[in-house]
């Protein structure tokens, strides 16, 4: 049965159908095979509806809406200008500024694709003018944007938290350490690249210019303060934090900055609605699909066939990393989280692994896969935004993928990279 379902999904994907069609078709076929017809289809529909019932999922459209408002407004530009004012003049400073800006905007938006657009659009021309190759520039933007998957708020972590019933607040804080580690690794590589290729430095900003840039960016910088401080200060839940972010983004862009007009609300709401609809369809069908494969005991059969059940905690973590990494090279990250998380759930529980640590590693692998050929979603976002050929976009990605894999290895070897802040924030 598992083989048939996989062949259906792969076949429909190769024929060019959007991801919701292969997933839905495979789920329905699995249901018919298991229950000999459509007579109990109501049960499957109940499972689908149950997938989108958790209140935590309300945070997803809220963070998407907040990111959309900020992307169209001035928040991203103000954050970029502040970063450039402080580190743009050092060797490789423009590239490091790009990676740092992606991290900061990720802490504001939670969306990798929004970060590609918001940070990549203004900084790519500057990097090309400064002497960086386009392949390096595109690879840096794509991979640094994936830090947004780790830095709170993270839409991927919300989906994982709902599926695995893991605390989203704990996942959020656990993603900060790995996100900063990856930023540090990327910055070292940018420094090495700049020295190797003798990239000239940018003019050094005066302290008065830096003061102005901080003043301009102070309002957008309150986004992570609201999210992190509000959640861990016990003021509101992650879902409530998302709603506050929308209100804050609206006040910022429409009233304080006046960068957007009220007439644009319809376009923003429509864009958010379309993205949210796709996400929730995938979540609903993914939950139904997960129920079917769990009912048929497919996860247990798969884990037994590859020997994961006999592996220790480290072996299970490595198997999870490899599986999620490969899957996200071909399939939408949300779908991979929905399908693979229940498969590995028995092994995670049997080995006593911390679900927060597992969630961080899964989110990291999803981020890596999103920027990895052949079908990483951020690659195609960059192709659409920057209008560059596929091979040029992926040419510079191998060093960044290697660093991301190395980061995953470090987290497996030293779990406190992810868990230290979690344990500190949630100490009894």
């Amino acid at each position: 049965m598992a083989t048939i379902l996989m062949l259906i999904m792969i076949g429909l994907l190769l024929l060019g159908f959007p991801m919701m069609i292969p997933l839905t078709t495979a789920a329905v076929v699995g249901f018919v095979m298991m229950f000999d017809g459509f007579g109990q289809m109501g049960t499957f529909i109940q499972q689908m509806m149950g997938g989108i019932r958790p209140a935590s999922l309300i945070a997803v459209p809220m963070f998407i809406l907040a990111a959309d408002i900020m992307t169209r407004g001035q928040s991203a530009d103000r954050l970029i200008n502040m970063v450039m004012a402080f580190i743009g003049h050092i060797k490789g400073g423009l590239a490091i500024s790009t990676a740092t800006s992606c991290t900061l905007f990720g802490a504001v938006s939670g969306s990798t694709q929004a970060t590609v657009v918001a940070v990549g659009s203004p900084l790519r021309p500057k990097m090309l003018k400064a002497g960086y190759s386009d392949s390096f520039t595109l690879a840096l933007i794509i991979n640094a944007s994936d830090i947004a998957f780790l830095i709170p708020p993270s839409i991927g972590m919300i989906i994982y938290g709902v599926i695995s019933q893991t605390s989203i607040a704990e996942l959020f804080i656990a993603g900060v350490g790995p996100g900063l580690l990856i930023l540090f690794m990327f910055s070292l590589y940018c420094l090495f690249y700049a020295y190797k290729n003798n990239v000239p430095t940018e003019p050094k900003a005066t302290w008065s210019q830096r003061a102005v840039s901080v003043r301009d960016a102070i309002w957008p910088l309150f986004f992570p303060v609201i999210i992190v401080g509000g959640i861990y200060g016990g003021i509101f839940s992650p879902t409530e934090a998302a709603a506050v972010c929308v209100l804050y983004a609206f006040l910022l862009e429409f009233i304080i900055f006046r960068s957007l007009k009220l007439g644009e609300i319809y376009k923003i709401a429509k864009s958010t609605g379309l993205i949210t609809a796709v996400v929730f369809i995938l979540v609903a069908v993914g939950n139904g699909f997960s129920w079917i494969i769990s009912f048929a005991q497919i996860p247990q059969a798969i884990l037994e066939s590859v020997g994961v059940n006999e592996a220790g905690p480290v072996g299970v973590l490595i198997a999870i990393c490899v599986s999620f990494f490969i899957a996200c090279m071909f399939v939408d990250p949300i779908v991979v989280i929905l399908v693979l998380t229940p498969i590995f759930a028995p092994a995670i529980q049997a080995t006593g692994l911390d679900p927060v640590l597992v969630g961080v590693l899964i989110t990291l692998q999803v981020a890596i896969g999103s920027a990895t050929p052949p079908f990483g979603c951020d690659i195609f976002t960059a192709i659409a935004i920057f209008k560059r050929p596929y091979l040029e976009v992926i040419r510079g990605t191998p060093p960044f993928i290697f660093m991301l894999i190395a980061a995953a290895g470090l987290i497996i070897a030293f779990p406190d990279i992810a868990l230290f802040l979690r344990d500190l924030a949630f100490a009894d």
Side-chain angles (χ1 to χ4, degrees):
M1 180 176 173
T3 304
I4 294 173
L5 299 185
M6 288 302 299
L7 288 175
I8 290 172
M9 291 181 66
I10 294 172
L12 291 176
L13 278 173
L14 293 176
L15 290 173
F17 286 95
M19 190 61 227
M20 66 181 72
I21 302 299
L23 187 62
T24 304
T25 304
V28 172
V29 170
F31 182 88
V32 171
M33 291 175 63
M34 196 162 55
F35 292 100
D36 297 324
F38 295 92
Q40 300 183 50
M41 185 56 72
T43 304
F44 177 65
I45 294 173
Q46 287 177 351
Q47 293 297 324
M48 289 177 58
M49 297 305 296
I52 57 175
R53 191 171 292 130
S56 301
L57 285 176
I58 297 173
V60 173
M62 292 292 182
F63 281 128
I64 293 173
L65 178 56
D68 208 347
I69 294 172
M70 290 180 288
T71 303
R72 296 169 187 260
Q74 294 182 2
S75 294
D77 289 338
R78 290 173 180 244
L79 290 172
I80 291 168
N81 292 337
M82 183 195 69
V83 174
M84 283 290 297
F86 282 91
I87 60 177
H89 64 281
I90 65 176
K91 198 70 172 177
L94 184 55
I96 296 172
S97 297
T98 301
T100 306
S101 298
C102 288
T103 303
L104 279 177
F105 193 74
V108 169
S109 69
S111 168
T112 60
Q113 290 162 304
T115 306
V116 169
V117 177
V119 178
S121 297
L123 282 182
R124 176 173 169 265
K126 291 183 180 180
M127 289 188 65
L128 295 179
K129 186 178 179 180
Y132 292 92
S133 69
D134 205 10
S135 59
F136 171 83
T137 300
L138 291 169
L140 174 63
I141 291 169
I142 292 170
N143 287 276
S145 295
D146 287 334
I147 300 175
F149 242 83
L150 289 165
I151 298 288
S154 166
I155 293 173
M157 284 184 173
I158 295 172
I159 301 297
Y160 169 82
V162 170
I163 295 299
S164 63
Q165 298 183 339
T166 303
S167 168
I168 295 173
E170 292 188 31
L171 287 167
F172 276 4
I173 196 68
V176 173
L180 294 178
L181 170 65
I182 293 168
L183 173 61
F184 176 73
M185 296 171 75
F186 282 7
S187 298
L188 288 180
Y189 179 64
C190 290
L191 186 66
F192 167 77
Y193 180 93
Y195 273 105
K196 180 182 177 183
N197 295 277
N198 197 27
V199 177
T201 58
E202 297 290 303
K204 185 176 182 178
T206 64
W207 280 107
S208 61
Q209 290 173 324
R210 291 174 178 176
V212 170
S213 70
V214 171
R215 183 197 67 193
D216 291 343
I218 195 71
W219 289 107
L221 284 173
F222 272 106
F223 276 103
V225 174
I226 290 171
I227 296 167
V228 177
I231 292 173
Y232 303 110
I235 301 173
F236 37 65
S237 68
T239 303
E240 292 165 341
V244 173
C245 274
V246 173
L247 175 61
Y248 188 65
F250 181 88
L251 293 174
L252 218 57
E253 302 296 353
F254 284 92
I255 297 176
I256 298 176
F257 297 160
R258 297 183 181 179
S259 58
L260 298 175
K261 297 180 180 180
L262 290 176
E264 296 181 70
I265 292 178
Y266 173 76
K267 292 181 180 178
I268 294 172
K270 181 180 178 181
S271 172
T272 300
L274 290 172
I275 297 171
T276 302
V278 172
V279 171
F280 272 60
I281 290 172
L282 291 174
V283 171
V285 178
N287 192 70
F289 185 82
S290 299
W291 173 73
I292 289 170
I293 63 174
S294 298
F295 192 86
Q297 295 189 327
I298 292 175
Q300 290 84 343
I302 292 175
L303 295 179
E304 287 178 7
S305 65
V306 297
V308 173
N309 283 338
E310 287 74 34
V314 174
V316 171
L317 288 176
I318 293 173
I320 289 172
C321 288
V322 172
S323 300
F324 276 81
F325 172 67
I326 294 174
C328 284
M329 292 167 59
F330 300 92
V331 182
D332 185 273
I334 292 176
V335 175
V336 174
I337 294 173
L338 291 168
V339 173
L340 290 189
T341 300
I343 289 178
F344 282 99
I348 294 169
Q349 188 174 10
T351 51
L353 286 167
D354 190 322
V356 173
L357 175 63
V358 174
V360 169
L361 283 167
I362 286 175
T363 306
L364 175 55
Q365 297 309 314
V366 165
I368 301 172
S370 298
T372 303
F375 301 123
C377 62
D378 286 343
I379 294 173
F380 294 97
T381 301
I383 290 171
I385 297 300
F386 305 126
K387 295 179 173 57
R388 303 307 303 162
Y390 177 83
L391 290 178
E392 186 174 330
V393 171
I394 68 171
R395 187 177 297 127
T397 57
F400 293 98
I401 295 171
F402 175 79
M403 285 183 280
L404 288 167
I405 293 173
L410 286 172
I411 294 169
I412 292 174
F414 306 102
D416 280 347
I417 294 173
L419 300 180
F420 173 75
L421 287 177
R422 190 282 305 269
D423 294 340
L424 194 64
F426 291 90
D428 295 331

